[in-house]
Amino acid sequence: MLAGRLGCTPDEAFSHLSQISQRSNMKVAEVAAGLLGIAAPIPEPASGPSDEDGFRPERYVTARRGTTPPRGEATPPLVSLLPEEITARYHLACAALSAAADPSELAEVAWSEGLRHIGVTAVLLAVLEPDGAVRLVGTHGLPKGLASAWQRVPGTLKVAFLSAVVSGRPLWIDRKGAAELGYELLGEGDLRACIPLRDRDRTFGVASIIWAEGELPEPGIRAYVSAVAEACGRRLSQLLQDGQGAPVASPAAHWVEAILETLPGSFALLAPVRDSAGEIVDFRFDRCSPAAVDAGGRRADEFCGRRLLDLYPHVTGTGVFDGYLHALRNGEPFQLPPTPMSVPTAQGEVLTVVSMRAARFGDGLLVNWQFHDAERRLTSHLERLQRAAEAGWAEWDLVQGQVTWSAEAYRILQRDPGRGPIKLGSLPRYVAPEDSATLTAAIQRLTGAQEPLDLTVRLNRGGTPSVIRLVADPVVANSGRVVAVHATIRLVSGGVS
């Protein structure tokens, strides 16, 4: 029809149809149906039932035409509707939902135009917050006091719709089943559906749809309810992004970019990738900090949007992938200490030392990684230089009481590393008795008068006499107080000169 009216090729007509679809935020099939004046088929929800249990309008029952149930009563079951009427009802509901001005109106329209005819008594819409909690943004049929009390539900509670957000799969449950699983149900009603709301393949919220009574519905009804919830999600996502209506918390992915822009180093927000059963099979680099770089030298714009296992298949054998899964499912941060890894890159295998941290952020993971290769090389160089020069270093933190010695300092001072370093004031006990008083006085001038120390003293430890040179400098705070001492210890000779 478009090709005939516009005088163009079918491919050009389809391109025109796609542009209308994008501008109107409607699916191509819905736009085409509107142009032809017919009802388009109801789409299969992204997380809906299988094809063999798809939407079957003839299974539906609804209120008798022309009757209105009394307030507070569930809609009584009625005669079956024709498939055309069911599809028309769905598209009328979608049209009404697309005009909702705020989340509260969206919940009310979802009930009145799409769900009340199948006995639904309440609709709750909530968005996911970065810490894993969900915030109610729109309700219909829920007492105001109850909605206020449950305005924000922490991610630590075992609430039915929280489970649907974490798993990414719809949850259909009755009150008996919820009690058996230990779930708490928000509001009255014996039956409810908790449908995850998605935006660009990521979960950003949940719709909880409640029936006052009844049994778990057939797959056809579940498909229809999921389709209406998906339409709610599309409109709610628009309201959140456009800032229309009442102020609500935006999904983490929509504003985390502002945080990532301020973070130095390599940070990324990973979004879970699920299979048809809802299981997490991979993660996608959804947002990245501008300075992010991987072991192969690729910058953020080169791996952002790509999958973790496509780029780094080795993480499945290092515990990293399992750590990410645990962090997302249980909310416990994952930490990998500096660990040597062989990373495949376009230039071949690269040996690197990397540390990682990951914490749940909304429905994904906020991840930070650091490469310690320069630090490792510097440490290795210093160790070799210390051995060649027979020198070590020591640091005394006089405020915290912490003492740190290098490995070579332990060897020169002939102390077992397992016993740890000693305090600065105890150092005179390590030298020969005739040098002890000299070292004690030098340390007092170092910490009191802030005089640097440069002294050669004799050791007599373990029956092996030796001579060392001790050079130490005070670290002075703004208050004028000595807060630390940094020293170098060098072996002058193995015997007394």
Side-chain angles (χ1 to χ4, degrees):
M1 182 189 75
L2 285 176
R5 289 191 177 182
L6 300 177
C8 62
T9 67
D11 286 343
E12 292 171 337
F14 183 77
S15 176
H16 184 72
L17 191 65
S18 298
Q19 293 174 10
I20 298 176
S21 169
Q22 293 171 3
R23 287 197 298 268
S24 62
N25 196 39
M26 296 174 63
K27 295 186 176 181
V28 171
E30 296 173 357
V31 175
L35 292 173
L36 295 173
I38 63 174
I42 294 177
E44 181 76 12
S47 54
S50 60
D51 292 337
E52 59 269 25
D53 289 328
F55 173 65
R56 297 184 185 176
E58 68 274 9
R59 290 183 176 183
Y60 284 24
V61 291
T62 184
R64 181 177 305 164
R65 297 169 191 170
T67 65
T68 302
R71 180 176 296 275
E73 294 185 10
T75 305
L78 273 203
V79 296
S80 62
L81 296 178
L82 296 175
E84 289 80 1
E85 293 179 84
I86 288 292
T87 54
R89 182 181 298 282
Y90 166 76
H91 290 294
L92 285 172
C94 285
L97 291 170
S98 66
D102 56 62
S104 294
E105 182 181 343
L106 187 65
E108 180 181 358
V109 170
W111 175 80
S112 62
E113 301 299 329
L115 299 170
R116 70 185 176 96
H117 306 287
I118 55 173
V120 170
T121 56
V123 175
L124 284 64
L125 300 176
V127 295
L128 184 63
E129 297 198 319
D131 62 352
V134 293
R135 181 181 295 277
L136 290 179
V137 294
T139 65
H140 177 79
L142 192 70
K144 291 184 178 180
L146 185 62
S148 176
W150 287 84
Q151 186 69 28
R152 188 177 188 274
V153 183
T156 55
L157 297 184
K158 198 167 184 180
V159 181
F161 58 68
L162 272 171
S163 173
V165 172
V166 173
S167 68
R169 291 178 286 183
L171 175 65
W172 294 79
I173 195 167
D174 57 19
R175 192 164 291 277
K176 179 181 178 182
E180 292 174 352
L181 294 173
Y183 286 131
E184 189 166 355
L185 298 182
L186 178 55
E188 299 296 328
D190 291 336
L191 173 67
R192 67 203 58 216
C194 304
I195 313 294
L197 303 179
R198 300 183 183 278
D199 176 40
R200 289 174 289 185
D201 298 327
R202 66 179 302 121
T203 302
F204 75 91
V206 62
S208 184
I209 298 163
I210 302 173
W211 287 259
E213 58 185 14
E215 299 178 352
L216 292 176
E218 296 178 298
I221 295 181
R222 279 180 269 171
Y224 174 76
V225 170
S226 295
V228 173
E230 185 178 306
C232 280
R234 290 197 298 270
R235 181 55 182 162
L236 182 58
S237 178
Q238 289 179 335
L239 292 173
L240 294 172
Q241 294 179 50
D242 296 342
Q244 300 179 28
V248 295
S250 298
H254 294 313
W255 56 269
V256 71
E257 290 178 353
I259 296 177
L260 292 178
E261 286 286 341
T262 66
L263 295 177
S266 298
F267 288 83
L269 181 67
L270 299 185
V273 177
R274 303 179 186 270
D275 60 16
S276 57
E279 296 297 327
I280 299 174
V281 296
D282 206 341
F283 289 91
R284 185 182 67 251
F285 287 90
D286 199 40
R287 305 286 195 280
C288 298
S289 60
V293 62
D294 71 0
R298 287 173 291 204
R299 296 292 177 180
D301 57 353
E302 296 180 75
F303 56 81
C304 196
R306 299 183 63 182
R307 293 191 176 190
L308 177 70
L309 296 184
D310 288 344
L311 293 167
Y312 318 110
H314 66 282
V315 298
T316 56
T318 61
V320 172
F321 191 80
D322 289 340
Y324 285 177
L325 289 177
H326 183 80
L328 185 61
R329 290 169 177 165
N330 299 291
E332 299 175 0
F334 166 72
Q335 183 170 358
L336 180 76
T339 304
M341 287 189 186
S342 181
V343 181
T345 69
Q347 294 76 34
E349 295 285 329
V350 173
L351 180 62
T352 185
V353 177
V354 62
S355 63
M356 296 181 187
R357 291 181 61 88
R360 189 164 66 188
F361 193 88
D363 68 321
L365 287 174
L366 186 60
V367 178
N368 167 244
W369 64 96
Q370 297 181 47
F371 298 108
H372 302 271
D373 301 273
E375 177 184 333
R376 176 180 59 85
R377 287 194 295 269
L378 179 59
T379 301
S380 178
H381 296 336
L382 287 175
E383 288 176 352
R384 288 195 295 271
L385 286 171
Q386 288 180 69
R387 288 196 302 270
E390 293 188 307
W393 56 265
E395 293 182 357
W396 288 271
D397 184 335
L398 304 182
V399 177
Q400 301 294 331
Q402 297 177 350
V403 185
T404 308
W405 286 3
S406 69
E408 197 66 14
Y410 281 101
R411 190 186 69 81
I412 294 170
L413 295 175
Q414 300 176 38
R415 181 172 174 83
D416 181 5
R419 300 177 61 189
I422 64 171
K423 295 181 179 180
L424 182 63
S426 301
L427 198 59
R429 298 206 303 261
Y430 269 66
V431 304
E434 54 269 31
D435 292 335
S436 178
T438 302
L439 180 57
T440 299
I443 291 175
Q444 290 174 349
R445 291 194 300 272
L446 173 71
T447 57
Q450 303 173 12
E451 290 184 13
L453 183 155
D454 189 343
L455 195 65
T456 299
V457 295
R458 289 163 289 187
L459 297 180
N460 191 9
R461 302 276 302 163
T464 305
S466 59
V467 178
I468 66 167
R469 182 183 179 189
L470 178 64
V471 178
D473 294 303
V475 178
V476 182
N478 292 337
S479 61
R481 175 189 174 193
V482 176
V483 294
V485 171
H486 294 172
T488 301
I489 304 166
R490 180 174 178 271
L491 183 64
V492 177
S493 69
V496 179
S497 58

